[in-house]
Amino acid sequence: MEIVNLFGWEIKEKIERGEISEKEVFDAFYERASSSSLNTFITLAEGREEKKEGKLRGIPFGIKDNILVRGMKNTCGSKILHDFIAPYDATCIERLKKEGGVILGKTNMDEFAMGSSNEYSAFGPVKNPFDPERVPGGSSGGSAAAVANLEVPIALGSDTGGSVRQPAAFCGVFGLKPTYGRISRYGLVAFASSLDQIGIIARTVKDIALTLEVIAGYDPMDSTSSPEGVPPYSKIIEEPCGYKTLGVPEELISGCDEEILNAFQRTLEILQRLGHKIVRITLPHAKYYLPTYEIIAMAEASSNLARYDGVRYGLRVEGESAEEIIEKTRMRGFGPEVKRRIMVGTYVLSKGYREEYYGKAQRVRTIIKEELEEALREVDFIITPTAPFLPFKLGERKEDPIKMYLSDVFTVFANLAGLPAISIPGGRINGLPWGFQVTGRAWDEENLLTFAYHLEREGGWSLRQ
Amino acid sequence: MEFEAVIGMELHVQLKTETKLFCSCRVEFGAPPNKNVCPVCLGMPGVLPVLNKKAVEHALRVAIALNCRINRESLFARKNYFYPDLPKGYQITQYTTPIGWNGWIDVNGKKIRIKRVHLEEESAKTVLEGDYAYIDFNRAGIPLVEIVTEPDLTSPGDAVQFVKTLQTLLRYLGVSDADMEKGQLRCEPNVSVRRRGEEKLGTRREIKNLNSIRSLERGIRYEIDQQIKILSSGGEVERATLLWDEKEEVTRPMRMKEEEEDYRYFPEPDLPPLLLTEDFIKEIRKTMPELPHERKERLIKEGLREYDADILTRDLERGRYYDEVVSLTSDPPETAKWVITELKEKFPPARELAWIINAVKEGKITRNAGKEILKEVIEKGKPAEEIVKEKGMTQVSDEEEIRKLVEQAFEMHPEEKERLFSGERKLVGFFIGEVMKLSGRRANPGVVKRMIEEMLG
Ligand SMILES: [Zn+2]
């Protein structure tokens, strides 16, 4: 088998047994990534760090370009940070490196993680490995496409409303968004702080489990990270899974494309054959998920992106006064989608509107959280398709934000409630990948990953190529 | 027509912590520009704030000392606005739930109500030079407490007294040096004027850039006069924020309130709510230092005059020194006299001054000798006892010795002696003086007087 076909954990074992060297591994993936025609990477590493022992020894990682790697460019897919060199390592990067993980490069993304198709990157769109005329999903499109195209075995992304899970589904790979607070956000460039969570994309659940156990856990630099213990996921997932009860929220998925719905139905049948129980659940506030998410995400984004003013770093467009510098820099530095969200976010926080929009959204968020927690007392997992449609053509939704935002319709609730969710590749429809999403209880990545791992092995969803 | 002023105050106080409010950069006055900075206080991408516990303790001390109600759960909020000296484009502050609220402070017998006490981060400092503005981020992220009063002050003098009282309090608490010239304490009074007897408040204007007590006083006085002028000529005061021009001694409008900014406050998602447990609050209450009014009361109870007690309360350094000395002399009034009148800037070791005070009391040395010794102790850093021995300054109280000196003085001034013995008693003083001279000022004047009177029969 070629090196690029190996899973991450296999690479590590082969290196430990002396069957391949770190250099061979790095070179093989570097070669594939640098010759890729998908525009997956914005920056490739200039070299490999000294080899190290550890749980991730020699495994190359693709890192979304909004997670800081010291000394490497960190553009966030934006012109405004086109030349920004990260002055420190994000906590998750520090932990990856400590366990011998190797940074292969920084992956392309929608500008500031705002988008669902990767078309809003200042560095050009990423293409879907299954059809270069189609989008890979977003905003972690570079990460998902790179993993699917064997340019890197594992990649990190960020997920604010589905930005790891949806591109994973579009590219036919696994994508996990852990519980909010599970992985430190220190060094992840903020989009919407109360929703953002670093996620992991790979071709096997085992690689996700292995990576999670390394990078998860309390970080004194992130006051919202949790002291909750981190179990050895990569071992736990090998244990028996048992039969689970999965809840299908009918009203949430009713608006889904026919072909996806049919494939989803067949998936549910397979799950039943495997012995799992499928039940209907009711989520009365489902229609408020997306608007609630949008208000909160854009409000927080409008504040989080205020620091890009041309004063201290990044792009600066000169002007006669400080005010003019700030205005011109932001005018030229941000793309249209980012501007749109900053404007909406500013509006919903403005005097006279704050209560009506932001205040109300916060209250609805509490209700949504309770509703989902309630549902997860009745069932082990909530199951839905990951996205309501298949990977669409480049340019198809770019000019229609409302249609674009619909990509997140099944994924945002996990962010609103801080729940862990994983997208599992469901196979192909007309040659294009689709995925389904399993959402678990807060802090219970253990059961979620075990379940996903067993499906990967027994359900016929393995990606072994 | 009689007018009266109504004044409220907003104060910003830099807290004296080792490190900044949300990162571990040092807080240091006078460091070279941009020395104490890191990704967090520079607002780099991806950074997150981590709250400094010491700053919370300090803010809580202030809230307790100002008799505030304490919020057991308080939230941080983002105040959003663009300014080059604001690294993140927002300031982390407290909005709906300050640490303390609804308090009061006694200022010379008048109760000034405190609306709120909250914790927030300082901005960077802009330095203008020629055509350029330079920004020093050393200051960015230093912890501040903001203290807001109700409009309970009625004159510039009132405002000055309030600020001075607060300065003393903050120094007592050890939370800030509260030096206005260094920007550690900044006052923004809001002033309005109304016709006496009227209930409704007039339109208020805020004054910024008052960098000393003197400016504070003059700025408010100027603004009151301005508003009275406007009102008496039938005009209307417009809402505005004013800047005090220290050179010209006038205020200038910075912005009219029509363009009031909308700060789009919302809860800071990067920080969990600040929970102050009963135990934590109890611990802080237990470790509160003696407060100014408590100190003054104690000193008066210990036997000091109110005037002395006041000085030893306002001047905390002198007051603490006094405490140390008095514990070695057990004579509060006498010790206060020495500490207040005989010491300027430099204080000798407490035990040296105590030795001198005790020696004077025991009659070992004269008061004048004591003062001279004190001077030398301060200048040369020598122990008082050693100086006394070297110079043979010990007081002479031996009756035989003094009797001899008196006789010597009589011999030197036979005419005066004659008059004294024939009943001119006022000459006793003259001979005491002569004997003192003869003794090199070492004779105990009390004994000298007694001996002369004895000899007179
Ligand atoms: Zn700092």
Side-chain angles (χ1 to χ4, degrees):
Chain A
M1 200 183 323
E2 273 190 67
I3 287 177
V4 293
N5 276 304
L6 295 171
F7 290 146
W9 65 272
E10 292 173 327
I11 289 170
K12 177 219 169 206
E13 287 189 355
K14 280 183 184 292
I15 289 174
E16 276 176 348
R17 288 198 298 266
E19 292 168 27
I20 48 174
S21 74
E22 275 105 332
K23 185 177 180 329
E24 282 172 312
V25 171
F26 186 84
D27 290 349
F29 283 104
Y30 188 92
E31 167 61 28
R32 195 162 168 95
S34 59
S35 59
S36 167
S37 58
L38 303 178
N39 198 22
T40 40
F41 283 87
I42 291 177
T43 309
L44 277 170
E46 280 171 11
R48 184 170 52 86
E49 292 205 11
E50 276 307 290
K51 72 168 183 186
K52 276 190 205 114
E53 306 287 306
K55 287 181 177 175
L56 305 175
R57 180 169 173 186
I59 305 175
F61 280 83
I63 309 295
K64 189 176 182 178
D65 211 18
N66 61 351
I67 299 171
L68 274 71
V69 178
R70 193 193 172 103
M72 286 183 85
K73 248 185 356 188
N74 188 94
T75 69
C76 288
S78 179
K79 214 191 283 177
I80 212 160
L81 286 178
H82 71 286
D83 61 351
F84 178 71
I85 307 286
Y88 66 97
D89 270 333
T91 299
C92 64
I93 298 301
E94 209 178 271
R95 292 180 180 177
L96 274 190
K97 285 179 174 173
K98 213 173 138 214
E99 288 295 333
V102 176
I103 312 300
L104 184 74
K106 305 294 300 290
T107 58
N108 202 344
M109 57 185 283
D110 282 300
E111 185 176 3
F112 284 102
M114 298 175 181
S116 306
S117 68
N118 227 297
E119 291 166 291
Y120 299 136
S121 166
F123 299 86
V126 177
K127 287 158 194 169
N128 193 307
F130 290 83
D131 178 353
E133 286 185 3
R134 290 178 186 269
V135 303
S139 64
S140 311
S143 286
V147 170
N149 196 39
L150 310 179
E151 296 170 21
V152 75
I154 312 173
L156 297 188
S158 67
D159 190 315
T160 306
S163 276
V164 158
R165 290 159 286 156
Q166 184 256 16
F170 274 22
C171 293
V173 291
F174 293 90
L176 172 76
K177 180 204 89 78
T179 311
Y180 183 80
R182 181 56 101 181
I183 299 174
S184 167
R185 291 185 294 116
Y186 188 73
L188 165 67
V189 179
F191 162 9
S193 314
S194 74
L195 301 160
D196 293 343
Q197 183 61 197
I198 287 172
I200 306 160
I201 296 171
R203 285 181 296 117
T204 170
V205 175
K206 196 165 174 175
D207 278 352
I208 290 179
L210 184 64
T211 307
L212 184 65
E213 81 185 49
V214 169
I215 66 177
Y218 175 70
D219 173 15
M221 296 300 279
D222 177 359
S223 311
T224 64
S225 73
S226 168
E228 196 85 21
V230 178
Y233 298 112
S234 60
K235 291 205 183 61
I236 286 174
I237 56 168
E238 307 272 4
E239 281 165 24
C241 165
Y243 300 120
K244 301 292 183 190
T245 306
L246 293 102
V248 180
E250 301 272 351
E251 59 275 81
L252 183 62
I253 62 169
S254 58
C256 196
D257 275 7
E258 188 83 26
E259 45 199 4
I260 301 265
L261 218 47
N262 291 337
F264 181 63
Q265 205 50 51
R266 284 195 297 278
T267 301
L268 295 180
E269 281 156 23
I270 296 171
L271 289 175
Q272 276 172 318
R273 271 209 301 281
L274 290 171
H276 302 295
K277 200 171 151 196
I278 307 292
V279 298
R280 282 181 184 202
I281 54 168
T282 314
L283 300 174
H285 294 84
K287 66 176 171 206
Y288 301 114
Y289 292 177
L290 207 48
T292 303
Y293 162 80
E294 276 160 14
I295 289 170
I296 292 170
M298 294 186 199
E300 291 181 9
S302 70
S303 170
N304 282 329
L305 269 60
R307 69 189 59 193
Y308 309 107
D309 55 10
V311 173
R312 286 144 296 131
Y313 50 78
L315 179 77
R316 176 194 286 195
V317 182
E318 294 296 342
E320 288 299 309
S321 64
E323 211 169 52
E324 203 185 310
I325 291 175
I326 295 175
E327 205 176 301
K328 283 187 168 167
T329 299
R330 291 169 67 79
M331 189 67 90
R332 203 165 311 160
F334 289 135
E337 179 60 22
V338 169
K339 282 181 194 158
R340 177 155 43 228
R341 296 199 195 195
I342 289 174
M343 283 193 290
V344 175
T346 303
Y347 178 81
V348 299
L349 284 175
S350 296
K351 228 180 231 164
Y353 303 98
R354 184 169 57 215
E355 250 324 285
E356 194 180 334
Y357 291 103
Y358 182 78
K360 201 183 271 178
Q362 285 291 26
R363 288 194 296 279
V364 175
R365 183 178 185 177
T366 307
I367 295 169
I368 292 171
K369 225 174 177 167
E370 282 162 7
E371 161 174 313
L372 289 162
E373 276 162 12
E374 178 69 39
L376 283 165
R377 272 193 282 275
E378 308 292 317
V379 298
D380 295 306
F381 305 118
I382 296 169
I383 187 167
T384 64
T386 305
F389 36 69
L390 288 168
F392 45 88
K393 289 238 166 91
L394 284 156
E396 192 182 315
R397 288 170 192 262
K398 196 179 170 192
E399 304 308 328
D400 188 346
I402 302 300
K403 265 168 100 182
M404 187 71 91
Y405 297 164
L406 276 178
S407 306
D408 299 332
V409 66
F410 303 147
T411 44
V412 293
F413 74 82
N415 303 81
L416 284 170
L419 303 171
I422 188 168
S423 177
I424 298 171
R428 315 262 169 88
I429 300 169
N430 306 326
L432 292 172
W434 78 284
F436 58 94
Q437 168 184 256
V438 181
T439 305
R441 298 174 189 131
W443 310 113
D444 193 15
E445 283 84 356
E446 202 170 310
N447 271 303
L448 185 66
L449 290 174
T450 305
F451 179 71
Y453 187 55
H454 283 261
L455 290 194
E456 177 187 350
R457 292 202 304 187
E458 296 150 21
W461 286 295
S462 169
L463 295 175
R464 173 96 282 161
Q465 283 167 323
Chain B
M1 189 73 68
E2 283 256 355
F3 290 97
E4 65 175 359
V6 179
I7 305 163
M9 282 277 217
E10 198 181 298
L11 296 110
H12 287 94
V13 181
Q14 277 185 2
L15 295 180
K16 219 162 75 174
T17 48
E18 292 269 309
T19 56
K20 292 184 181 179
L21 186 53
F22 295 120
C23 65
S24 47
C25 288
R26 276 177 57 85
V27 173
E28 198 179 359
F29 189 79
N34 295 311
K35 177 186 164 228
N36 297 319
V37 297
C38 73
V40 176
C41 56
L42 286 175
M44 290 281 184
V47 297
L48 297 169
V50 177
L51 182 60
N52 179 343
K53 193 180 167 204
K54 260 272 146 31
V56 175
E57 290 178 11
H58 280 0
L60 186 53
R61 279 199 184 95
V62 174
I64 290 172
L66 292 175
N67 306 295
C68 284
R69 300 189 59 178
I70 307 298
N71 269 318
R72 300 298 189 263
E73 180 177 340
S74 63
L75 292 173
F76 285 93
R78 289 189 186 176
K79 180 178 179 180
N80 296 284
Y81 64 97
F82 287 101
Y83 210 72
D85 68 14
L86 189 67
K88 297 185 294 292
Y90 56 83
Q91 178 196 30
I92 304 178
T93 176
Q94 296 191 300
Y95 186 56
T96 49
T97 47
I99 284 188
W101 54 287
N102 206 6
W104 55 268
I105 181 173
D106 181 289
V107 178
N108 298 342
K110 191 168 168 186
K111 217 178 206 184
I112 307 300
R113 288 170 300 156
I114 304 292
K115 209 172 182 175
R116 55 187 284 143
V117 172
H118 77 239
L119 197 53
E120 63 183 27
E121 59 180 338
E122 176 77 283
S123 61
K125 197 174 163 185
T126 305
V127 183
L128 296 170
E129 246 180 71
D131 286 345
Y132 287 91
Y134 297 88
I135 309 175
D136 181 2
F137 289 91
N138 284 346
R139 207 181 75 172
I142 289 179
L144 292 179
V145 282
E146 183 178 306
I147 301 167
V148 184
T149 76
E150 297 287 354
D152 289 349
L153 304 158
T154 51
S155 70
D158 247 13
V160 167
Q161 282 315 310
F162 168 74
V163 170
K164 282 189 171 168
T165 306
L166 203 70
Q167 269 177 324
T168 309
L169 180 69
L170 293 164
R171 289 170 191 156
Y172 265 66
L173 293 170
V175 302
S176 176
D177 292 337
D179 188 332
M180 283 184 81
E181 272 84 2
K182 288 184 181 168
Q184 293 160 337
L185 175 74
R186 304 194 289 275
C187 317
E188 283 162 24
N190 53 74
V191 177
S192 69
V193 163
R194 64 179 166 193
R195 290 191 160 77
R196 207 172 286 280
E198 209 161 286
E199 292 259 323
K200 205 169 149 264
L201 289 174
T203 306
R204 51 177 229 175
R205 297 175 169 213
E206 282 158 39
I207 315 172
K208 288 180 188 276
N209 199 36
L210 299 167
N211 299 323
S212 64
I213 292 279
R214 185 189 139 98
S215 296
L216 175 74
E217 213 246 331
R218 303 207 166 195
I220 294 176
R221 191 175 300 282
Y222 178 86
E223 181 54 24
I224 292 173
D225 289 348
Q226 284 303 104
Q227 293 192 18
I228 290 178
K229 255 189 237 163
I230 295 171
L231 291 177
S232 14
S233 65
E236 238 179 87
V237 176
E238 276 180 78
R239 267 203 89 163
T241 301
L242 308 164
L243 269 188
W244 176 244
D245 184 329
E246 212 170 77
K247 259 202 214 128
E248 305 285 323
E249 302 211 323
V250 293
T251 55
R252 299 180 198 286
M254 190 167 102
R255 59 164 180 264
M256 301 312 254
K257 276 290 169 176
E258 280 77 41
E259 6 173 337
E260 196 182 9
E261 275 192 83
D262 177 5
Y263 294 117
R264 291 173 282 121
Y265 286 99
F266 75 100
E268 166 58 277
D270 288 332
L271 288 169
L274 171 60
L275 301 176
L276 301 177
T277 63
E278 250 358 277
D279 284 350
F280 181 72
I281 297 172
K282 235 185 250 162
E283 189 55 40
I284 296 294
R285 274 190 204 279
K286 232 171 50 196
T287 55
M288 287 284 277
E290 185 184 41
L291 297 181
H293 68 275
E294 293 166 346
R295 177 180 183 83
K296 192 171 160 185
E297 278 160 30
R298 172 172 65 81
L299 292 178
I300 290 171
K301 226 158 96 194
E302 283 171 11
L304 295 200
R305 290 181 304 155
E306 181 167 354
Y307 179 79
D308 290 348
D310 202 51
I311 290 176
L312 294 177
T313 300
R314 279 180 194 283
D315 186 343
L316 183 57
E317 209 190 329
R318 196 173 294 267
R320 292 218 171 113
Y321 179 74
Y322 161 83
D323 283 350
E324 238 184 292
V325 178
V326 84
S327 73
L328 299 169
T329 65
S330 311
D331 187 341
E334 193 60 23
T335 306
K337 214 187 282 171
W338 280 85
V339 171
I340 292 168
T341 54
E342 301 306 331
L343 295 176
K344 292 204 174 89
E345 298 286 300
K346 264 182 155 177
F347 300 163
R351 74 189 128 75
E352 297 304 327
L353 179 55
W355 190 91
I356 293 169
I357 294 170
N358 288 335
V360 171
K361 248 171 59 186
E362 287 159 14
K364 273 196 227 153
I365 53 173
T366 60
R367 176 173 290 275
N368 280 331
K371 289 180 190 175
E372 262 172 59
I373 294 162
L374 180 59
K375 236 194 239 164
E376 281 203 44
V377 169
I378 293 170
E379 275 166 19
K380 299 187 177 148
K382 266 194 204 161
E385 202 172 358
E386 211 173 281
I387 295 168
V388 169
K389 270 188 197 144
E390 261 175 34
K391 302 206 161 178
M393 288 168 103
T394 324
Q395 181 165 287
V396 178
S397 302
D398 184 82
E399 296 189 5
E400 257 332 288
E401 209 173 314
I402 288 177
R403 188 190 299 274
K404 275 182 199 153
L405 290 169
V406 174
E407 279 164 1
Q408 206 182 326
F410 285 165
E411 271 169 41
M412 285 162 69
H413 303 284
E415 202 181 309
E416 283 82 359
K417 182 193 168 189
E418 204 50 54
R419 279 159 56 197
L420 173 68
F421 275 80
S422 52
E424 209 175 318
R425 300 293 288 219
K426 69 178 184 197
L427 281 166
V428 169
F430 169 76
F431 278 104
I432 293 175
E434 288 305 302
V435 172
M436 291 307 289
K437 266 190 224 162
L438 286 171
S439 72
R441 309 214 73 84
R442 288 164 59 217
N444 181 331
V447 179
V448 176
K449 188 172 180 228
R450 211 175 68 233
M451 295 317 296
I452 295 173
E453 278 165 354
E454 248 175 47
M455 286 159 87
L456 280 172

